[in-house]
Amino acid sequence: MRPKLLVIAGVLVTPLVTAATALAGNGGFAPVAPESPNAHAIKQSYLFISLFAFAIFLLVEGLLIAFVIRYRRKKRPREADGAQIHGASKLELAWTAGPVLILAVIATFVFVKLPTIQDVPASAATSQNLVVDVIGTQFTWQFRYPNGVVTIDRMRAPEGRTVELHITSPDWDVIHSWWIPALGGKMDAIPGKLNKTWFKATRVGVFQGQCAELCGLYHAKMLAAVEVMPAAEFDSWYEERRAQQEAGTSPLGEELWDGTCAKCHGLEGEGGYGPRIAGTTLIKNTQSIEALLRKGGILMPPVGRDWTTDEMNALTDYLKERVGNQG
Ligand SMILES: [Cu+2]
């Protein structure tokens, strides 16, 4: 008798003990706090559907327990059949029509929310959409802005302005998936295909995300962040960064080194994927390093095939000046 009681007590107490952990931090069972209208609509749909799921769970499990107790065998012999009950037409109609109705209500709600989630809002006369090309490659995110500014793994964006994301992956690469949960749903980065999504950040902050499609050995290192800045601050950063890129003084070289080279190689091989870079004579030879990046090596993908001149120059300068002298 005692072990049985223990099991029952365990079954009843476990959900209570784990509930706090499940609900704590990061939204618990629910999506993270939304910071963009599309993410907001996703969370509303999630909560709406959860409401029905939870109610049905309670109903089904409640009836299950009630019936187990009410119709238990008691002293009836094991081989004797229970009472033979004929169908109940009304009940059967109800449990057929009920779910149909529930699914119709859920579908209607989702279809009402879908345009907010999916459709990129058109540019307004007062506020043009900022279009950013998002390119996923193993295992880096590149962000390209209309004025030629490029950033790696960390996108900067203005608060309160629609940012239109044009997401793709080069045709020599694999499928990745762009996902910053606070700023909207996932969108695949597919080689040779352009997918569009958007966000309009409601507050300043850094929103984390990562590649959401298993894309290779270092998939877990393919993190992404969006830094939302006050609009005026963004504008001055945007212009300054362009000037820096033109003058060769931007941190783009370092970003490319961290995001593209060091992630897999590491100066001393600490990247754990590619061989160590320190000590290679190639580093100071701009032409050979560019050829390697553009064409790829025996085991290395052509990570720099589609890089802009700014990107290539920034990296080769950085390698020559900073990395080359360390090794
Ligand atoms: Cu990926």
Side-chain angles (χ1 to χ4, degrees), residues 63 96 106 127 149 191 199 206 236 243 305:
L63 286 176
T96 306
I106 288 176
S127 171
V149 161
F199 64 82
V206 178
S236 53
R305 182 170 290 173

Side-chain angles (χ1 to χ4, degrees), residues 25 94 151 232 238 267 286:
T151 67
Y238 191 53
L267 190 61
T286 303

Side-chain angles (χ1 to χ4, degrees), residues 2-327:
R2 290 264 321 259
K4 218 183 208 171
L5 268 177
L6 266 176
V7 169
I8 292 170
V11 166
L12 291 177
V13 168
T14 309
L16 291 175
V17 173
T18 50
T21 323
L23 292 170
N26 212 18
F29 287 118
V32 299
E35 300 295 350
S36 173
N38 48 349
H40 194 67
I42 289 172
K43 185 158 187 177
Q44 283 176 325
S45 308
Y46 177 94
L47 293 177
F48 189 75
I49 295 167
S50 301
L51 214 68
F52 289 98
F54 189 62
I56 291 167
F57 175 81
L58 286 185
L59 180 75
V60 171
E61 295 308 307
L63 286 176
L64 183 69
I65 292 168
F67 288 169
V68 163
I69 294 166
R70 174 124 161 68
Y71 296 104
R72 67 194 183 282
R73 186 165 57 92
K74 287 180 197 155
K75 291 198 174 102
R76 194 174 67 233
R78 218 169 241 288
E79 60 277 9
D81 280 344
Q84 297 300 301
I85 300 162
H86 191 257
S89 306
K90 272 184 196 157
L91 190 64
E92 285 163 18
L93 275 173
W95 77 46
T96 306
V100 171
L101 209 71
I102 290 170
L103 287 178
V105 169
I106 288 176
T108 308
F109 187 89
V110 170
F111 276 109
V112 166
K113 292 288 166 192
L114 211 49
T116 315
I117 295 169
Q118 245 175 7
D119 302 349
V120 183
S123 281
T126 46
S127 171
Q128 279 275 310
N129 288 355
L130 173 69
V131 178
V132 181
D133 292 336
V134 176
I135 303 153
T137 52
Q138 284 174 324
F139 299 96
T140 296
W141 292 104
Q142 278 180 79
F143 307 114
R144 292 191 187 156
Y145 294 79
N147 72 349
V149 161
V150 180
T151 67
I152 304 298
D153 287 346
R154 188 183 185 96
M155 181 197 294
R156 304 221 192 189
E159 181 191 11
R161 192 170 153 202
T162 302
V163 180
E164 200 174 314
L165 304 173
H166 291 188
I167 301 170
T168 192
S169 157
D171 51 17
W172 45 265
D173 207 86
V174 300
I175 299 176
H176 305 271
S177 185
W178 169 254
W179 193 30
I180 306 286
L183 300 178
K186 294 173 191 171
M187 186 54 80
D188 278 358
I190 301 172
K193 189 179 184 303
L194 195 70
N195 283 332
K196 292 183 184 177
T197 188
W198 66 286
F199 64 82
K200 186 179 182 180
T202 49
R203 74 170 174 89
V204 166
V206 178
F207 304 107
Q208 307 286 350
Q210 70 177 92
C211 178
E213 180 77 51
L214 183 61
C215 59
L217 197 60
Y218 269 20
H219 161 69
K221 284 201 177 185
M222 201 166 161
L223 305 173
V226 173
E227 182 179 346
V228 175
M229 317 160 83
E233 204 175 296
F234 172 83
D235 289 342
S236 53
W237 167 82
Y238 191 53
E239 289 311 316
E240 193 190 326
R241 174 81 181 222
R242 183 173 70 165
Q244 285 178 339
Q245 258 176 236
E246 276 162 13
T249 54
S250 78
L252 178 57
E254 190 179 356
E255 286 177 17
L256 282 163
W257 163 257
D258 288 340
T260 314
C261 312
K263 209 180 273 175
C264 292
H265 293 267
L267 190 61
E268 300 292 347
E270 69 271 28
Y273 198 0
R276 74 197 283 261
I277 289 179
T280 8
T281 44
L282 203 66
I283 275 190
K284 287 190 170 185
N285 185 335
T286 303
Q287 259 137 27
S288 340
I289 200 85
E290 177 164 355
L292 176 68
L293 289 165
R294 294 242 187 244
K295 293 189 189 121
I298 302 162
L299 292 169
M300 195 175 112
V303 283
R305 182 170 290 173
D306 311 309
W307 282 4
T308 61
T309 333
D310 273 4
E311 288 182 88
M312 195 52 83
N313 292 343
L315 181 69
T316 48
D317 284 354
Y318 185 80
L319 286 178
K320 218 177 349 184
E321 285 159 26
R322 302 288 304 278
V323 185
N325 292 337
Q326 286 177 46

